[in-house]
């Protein structure tokens, strides 16, 4: 059971076309702000993380996942301020033998006209092996459970949108703007991540042959601190004025201080250079008074083994299905909303 916390998303106020004086203001031939409306939404969402150990030499992976909930939520955006509340109702989450995961997952995505700031803090206790049947066909249970597995991830990333006048992140992801024409933008920025994973015994299950995942056999703890620059490109394709597909690909090259600890207490530490990939995607229909669409935000953090034959990848993300209805504000309500300093 999990209650999703709210996130703030902000968008700088736009001006009418005839008042455009600087390059930082919106071009309303491409983007139409809808700040005169209150944007309300109903949505289904699932936040998640996972840990994948990839043995490239043998073509095998270990895919550890948490048993997270599908959440039903409601929310609203007014004057650039967004509040969302969600809850993982029992009828949406059938117990299928994946064990219990205790977790707190905080994710915040802030979209201004010029900048995107992402923050996440994740605390997961208890995972299951999603591909148990592939690795152990004789297993009498569908999933191998690891209640002793713990993951902690903290991170922040920053991106500058270079074509903010014509490209809007808010249109597909916050729904308080409307992208009239197709447009894209290059992105530059950086990120910082700290990751910690531990268990009471070997990360590798007892039924996996000792000749596999050799470089991480016996490891029961790892942590890494990563930082570095990033760059990418975002594009919104608009079809017949209302249908849209938005995709962002962002690549980071991070300097990493990484350590591994074996069950007996032996510790290995080294500096690495790790490429990380983050993506955002959205698809749907955006009209003046309503919106229907899906959105997906994904960030991958990678850690290499000492000889680079095994790569640990930690996926962090959020998938959401939104139905949005916009209501035009009256003069009195608009005056009160405009006092909100966003």
């Amino acid at each position: 059971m999990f209650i999703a916390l709210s996130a703030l998303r902000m968008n700088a106020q736009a001006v009418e076309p005839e008042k455009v004086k600087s390059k930082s203001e919106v071009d309303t031939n491409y983007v139409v702000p809808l700040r005169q409306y209150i944007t309300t939404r109903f949505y289904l969402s699932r936040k998640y993380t996972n840990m994948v150990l990839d043995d490239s030499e043998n073509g095998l992976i270990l895919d550890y996942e948490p048993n997270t909930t599908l959440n039903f939520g409601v929310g609203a955006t007014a004057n650039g301020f967004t509040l969302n509340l969600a809850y993982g109702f029992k009828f949406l989450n059938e117990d299928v033998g994946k064990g219990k995961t205790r977790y707190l997952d905080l994710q915040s995505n802030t979209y201004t006209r010029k900048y995107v700031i992402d923050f996440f803090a994740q605390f997961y206790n208890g995972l299951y092996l999603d591909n148990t049947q592939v690795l152990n066909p004789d297993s009498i249970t569908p999933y191998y459970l690891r209640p002793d597995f713990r993951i902690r991830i903290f991170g922040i990333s920053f991106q500058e949108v270079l074509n903010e006048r014509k490209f809007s992140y808010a249109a597909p992801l916050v729904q308080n703007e409307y992208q009239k024409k197709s447009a894209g933008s290059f992105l530059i920025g950086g990120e910082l991540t700290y990751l910690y994973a531990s268990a009471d015994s070997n990360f590798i299950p007892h039924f996996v042959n000792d000749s596999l995942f050799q470089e991480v056999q016996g490891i029961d703890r790892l942590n890494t601190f990563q930082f570095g620059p990033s760059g990418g490109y975002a594009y919104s394709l608009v079809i017949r004025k209302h249908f849209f597909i938005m995709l962002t690909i962002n690549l980071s090259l991070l300097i990493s201080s990484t350590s591994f600890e074996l069950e007996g207490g032996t510790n290995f530490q080294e500096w690495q250079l790790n490429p990380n990939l983050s993506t955002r995607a959205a698809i749907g229909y955006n009209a003046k008074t309503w919106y229907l669409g899906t959105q997906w935000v994904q960030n991958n953090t990678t850690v290499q083994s000492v000889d680079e034959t095994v790569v640990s990848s930690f996926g962090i993300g959020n998938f959401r299905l939104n139905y949005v209805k916009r209501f035009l504000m009256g003069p009195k309500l608009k005056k009160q909303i405009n006092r909100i300093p966003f």
Side-chain angles (χ1 to χ4, degrees):
M1 184 173 66
F2 176 69
I3 298 178
L5 301 183
S6 63
L8 299 183
R9 296 181 174 90
M10 297 170 284
N11 298 87
Q13 186 165 1
V15 296
E16 297 301 322
E18 64 271 19
K19 297 180 181 179
V20 172
K21 296 180 180 179
S22 73
K23 294 182 179 180
S24 64
E25 294 172 337
V26 64
D27 183 344
T28 53
N29 292 315
Y30 286 82
V31 178
V32 179
L34 300 171
R35 297 176 69 88
Q36 70 272 33
Y37 291 88
I38 290 182
T39 300
T40 63
R41 65 182 59 82
F42 296 95
Y43 63 93
L44 294 171
S45 74
R46 186 186 295 275
K47 294 181 178 180
Y48 62 88
T49 192
N50 68 333
M51 176 181 176
V52 176
L53 299 174
D54 186 348
D55 184 345
S56 57
E57 286 194 347
N58 295 289
L60 289 175
I61 67 168
L62 295 173
D63 184 7
Y64 285 110
E65 307 260 355
N67 187 7
T68 58
T69 57
L70 178 65
N71 303 312
F72 174 77
V74 296
T77 298
N79 201 31
F81 176 84
T82 295
L83 177 64
N84 293 322
L85 297 173
Y87 184 78
F89 292 97
K90 191 172 183 179
F91 72 89
L92 293 174
N93 297 279
E94 182 182 0
D95 187 358
V96 289
K98 296 180 179 180
K100 292 184 178 180
T101 299
R102 293 183 293 109
Y103 67 100
L104 175 64
D105 191 324
L106 307 175
Q107 298 182 35
S108 174
N109 310 109
T110 302
Y111 302 100
T112 72
R113 172 62 54 202
K114 183 69 174 175
Y115 303 106
V116 177
I117 302 172
D118 297 323
F119 168 80
F120 49 87
Q122 298 184 309
F123 307 81
Y124 282 85
N125 294 330
L127 305 179
Y128 68 92
L129 187 64
D130 190 50
N131 59 333
T132 299
Q133 296 291 332
V134 174
L135 296 168
N136 186 20
D138 298 327
S139 175
I140 60 175
T141 58
Y143 301 106
Y144 173 62
L145 305 183
R146 293 295 301 264
D148 60 315
F149 232 117
R150 298 170 292 275
I151 292 178
R152 307 288 185 264
I153 306 176
F154 306 90
I156 188 169
S157 66
F158 169 88
Q159 295 175 354
E160 181 178 358
V161 181
L162 300 184
N163 186 23
E164 76 281 3
R165 295 188 65 235
K166 296 181 179 180
F167 173 79
S168 170
Y169 261 128
L173 300 180
V174 188
Q175 302 97 39
N176 65 342
E177 294 188 345
Y178 166 48
Q179 184 89 42
K180 292 173 63 176
K181 297 181 181 180
S182 300
S185 177
F186 285 101
L187 311 166
I188 58 172
E191 67 177 90
L192 181 151
T193 301
Y194 173 77
L195 185 149
Y196 172 86
S198 68
D200 293 343
S201 59
N202 193 351
F203 284 174
I204 311 304
H206 60 86
F207 51 79
V208 174
N209 193 297
D210 289 345
S211 64
L212 304 174
F213 300 93
Q214 285 188 348
E215 287 303 314
V216 291
Q217 281 284 354
I219 290 176
D220 62 4
R221 185 171 304 179
L222 74 83
N223 65 74
T224 181
F225 175 75
Q226 306 185 349
F227 61 95
S230 66
Y233 190 77
Y235 189 79
S236 283
L237 173 67
V238 179
I239 304 169
R240 301 185 68 178
K241 296 184 180 181
H242 297 290
F243 293 97
F244 68 88
I245 302 172
M246 190 279 291
L247 178 64
T248 298
I249 297 177
N250 197 68
L251 181 65
S252 304
L253 192 60
L254 304 184
I255 300 171
S256 308
S257 174
T258 303
S259 66
F260 307 89
E261 185 173 313
L262 299 177
E263 290 177 281
T266 305
N267 187 277
F268 299 93
Q269 187 166 0
E270 66 177 9
W271 287 91
Q272 301 178 351
L273 191 64
N274 290 320
N276 288 352
L277 181 69
S278 63
T279 57
R280 300 172 205 265
I283 183 170
Y285 183 93
N286 197 1
K288 188 174 182 180
T289 59
W290 67 279
Y291 166 108
L292 178 64
T294 62
Q295 62 190 71
W296 176 58
V297 178
Q298 168 83 14
N299 180 276
N300 287 318
T301 299
T302 59
V303 180
Q304 302 174 50
S305 63
V306 176
D307 72 345
E308 301 182 4
T309 59
V310 178
V311 175
S312 303
S313 177
F314 295 81
I316 304 164
N318 186 4
F319 176 82
R320 182 181 292 180
L321 172 65
N322 294 290
Y323 172 73
V324 168
K325 181 66 176 176
R326 303 185 183 100
F327 298 93
L328 189 64
M329 290 186 288
K332 292 183 179 180
L333 179 58
K334 186 175 181 180
K335 183 178 180 180
Q336 295 298 320
I337 294 294
N338 284 338
R339 293 178 179 177
I340 299 176
F342 295 107

